[in-house]
Amino acid sequence: MPERGTHSETLQAGARLTVGTRVLLPIERVVKHIDIGDTGLWFSFEKEPYALVICDAGGARAVSVAAAAVSLEDLRARIPDFDSLLAPC
């Protein structure tokens, strides 16, 4: 049975994709679990889609995988160099 563990969750940008005049930037949620017990060490990682940032002539906007609006300010706060990823926008 694990004695102690850690859990962390981060957001990261995936590979940019340009489609015509639009730039698509997938945002991924990465979760890390580490448990340390008497008999060993257990770790796991999860990576799943979180949102999609769309840049076009209308500007930048983000939607979640559930099609709900996502705050660009929240993404700026949670993803290092987020603005530089959107620089051509």
Side-chain angles (χ1 to χ4, degrees):
M1 184 77 172
E3 291 179 351
R4 47 183 196 261
T6 62
H7 168 93
S8 67
E9 180 178 322
T10 59
L11 295 181
Q12 67 184 26
R16 285 172 63 114
L17 177 64
T18 301
V19 179
T21 59
R22 290 185 171 89
V23 174
L24 306 176
L25 182 66
I27 305 300
E28 306 161 340
R29 178 179 168 256
V30 179
V31 180
K32 176 176 68 173
H33 303 274
I34 299 174
D35 291 313
I36 301 170
D38 290 336
T39 59
L41 171 72
W42 300 268
F43 60 93
S44 66
F45 293 88
E46 299 172 46
K47 183 171 149 180
E48 60 188 30
Y50 179 79
L52 180 66
V53 178
I54 304 158
C55 297
D56 57 17
R61 62 194 176 283
V63 293
S64 73
V65 293
V70 174
S71 164
L72 289 175
E73 291 304 315
D74 181 50
L75 295 177
R76 279 186 183 96
R78 296 178 69 183
I79 300 173
D81 300 324
F82 181 74
D83 285 328
S84 67
L85 296 169
L86 298 180
C89 235

